[in-house]
Amino acid sequence: MGEAQVRLALGNGSTDDDPAFVAMGFERLAEGAHAQTILDRGKGYTLQVVCVGTTSVKITGTGLKPSTTACDGTIVSQRIINAPADFALNVRATGGGNPSGSIGWRLNRLSN
């Protein structure tokens, strides 16, 4: 459920098409998204997260303001200013049960 929508929303991740591209991932909502990425310390980045499914997700990570968003296909963006060298991302479903759907995330470098 929703994987095609998530991939379409975030693009294909090709570095040939987008020189600011750093990393991206797609996961099942039930498993959550967990990533560790090396960044250039002190630089700026943009994180985009999109979720399609039966619940909402909580987004946390190094240098991020924790947020919660519905899994309705809306892209949520957050800037990482003065990035850490080691960025950890955690996106997990809120509530209980067995949520269905997909999560996608994309990290891009800002022009500094």
Side-chain angles (χ1 to χ4, degrees), residues 45-66:
Y45 294 84
T46 298
L47 173 69
Q48 295 178 312
V49 176
V50 64
C51 178
V52 174
T54 60
T55 188
S56 59
V57 291
K58 183 169 185 175
I59 304 165
T60 59
T62 313
L64 294 177
K65 179 181 177 186

Side-chain angles (χ1 to χ4, degrees), residues 78-104:
Q78 197 170 142
R79 287 185 177 219
I80 303 166
I81 305 300
N82 195 19
D86 188 17
F87 173 72
L89 174 66
N90 184 19
V91 183
R92 61 177 177 77
T94 59
N98 189 19
S100 63
S102 297
I103 301 167

Side-chain angles (χ1 to χ4, degrees), residues 21-34:
F21 172 78
V22 175
M24 74 186 315
F26 301 95
E27 303 294 338
R28 293 186 330 181
L29 182 56
E31 296 169 358
H34 313 280

